[in-house]
Amino acid sequence: MARHQMLKLPEVLAELDMSRAAFYRMRARGLAPKVIKLPNHQVRVRRTDLDDWLRRYEQATA
């Protein structure tokens, strides 16, 4: 079984060109990509989840 690439929150924010505050506002509204909260309270996003999330928005505007 292949291991999924996990992105740190700063990597996700840089890719989306988004502030941390904006990301957490989207997350509070249920609009952000799925996140994984680690036991040390750090947040990770699977590469596949981020790509799927971006694809959904790409299709919505097409």
Side-chain angles (χ1 to χ4, degrees):
M1 183 168 155
R3 186 159 185 252
H4 295 286
Q5 181 186 8
M6 304 288 276
L7 302 171
K8 294 179 180 180
L9 187 56
E11 295 170 315
V12 174
L13 297 175
E15 185 168 331
L16 298 177
D17 191 24
M18 180 181 287
S19 71
R20 183 179 297 264
F23 183 85
Y24 278 105
R25 281 193 302 271
M26 284 179 47
R27 188 169 171 227
R29 287 180 265 172
L31 301 174
K34 289 191 273 184
V35 300
I36 298 167
K37 193 163 187 180
L38 300 176
N40 63 0
H41 305 289
Q42 291 185 6
V43 172
R44 297 289 188 274
V45 177
R46 283 188 185 96
R47 164 51 58 193
T48 53
D49 289 340
L50 181 60
D51 290 344
D52 291 345
W53 180 82
L54 286 169
R55 235 177 265 110
R56 276 199 316 266
Y57 283 96
E58 180 178 60
Q59 292 172 357
T61 60

